[in-house]
Amino acid sequence: MPDPITPRLAELRRQFGLRLRELREGHGLTQERLGELAGVDRKTINRIENGMYSPHLDKVFQIADALSVPPKDLFEWDGVASRP
């Protein structure tokens, strides 16, 4: 059984998911279309956006490419990059 995530990690997952949703919607994409462009399942996009799944780095790169944004853009929210 996987280790439970800490509250901090849960919050970072939530923020990452919200940022992904913001970028996806800003590009006028559905979860399904983004999944097709990124080569991942729509359910995976949904789980990331809802903070239920932490994507591997390769998936982050695929999603960034599909959105035509630098990967770092996925890690910036409220105008500030995620920091400890």
Side-chain angles (χ1 to χ4, degrees):
M1 180 165 218
D3 293 332
I5 63 169
T6 65
R8 171 152 172 73
L9 287 177
E11 177 59 19
L12 290 171
R13 281 185 184 182
R14 189 183 77 76
Q15 290 293 329
F16 184 89
L18 291 173
R19 178 64 174 150
L20 174 57
R21 179 176 292 139
E22 175 183 54
L23 289 169
R24 176 181 60 76
E25 290 176 349
H27 282 78
L29 299 172
T30 63
Q31 290 179 345
E32 184 163 352
R33 183 63 182 141
L34 177 57
E36 290 170 358
L37 292 171
V40 300
D41 189 87
R42 178 205 60 82
K43 290 179 184 178
T44 299
I45 299 296
N46 181 272
R47 291 184 346 211
I48 294 169
E49 288 186 359
N50 288 301
M52 303 305 296
Y53 177 72
S54 178
H56 295 279
L57 190 55
D58 290 349
K59 277 193 176 55
V60 171
F61 292 146
Q62 289 171 259
I63 291 167
D65 285 349
L67 291 169
S68 299
V69 300
K72 71 177 183 72
D73 285 7
L74 291 165
F75 295 93
E76 295 178 344
W77 41 82
D78 296 328
V80 179
S82 168
R83 293 190 174 87

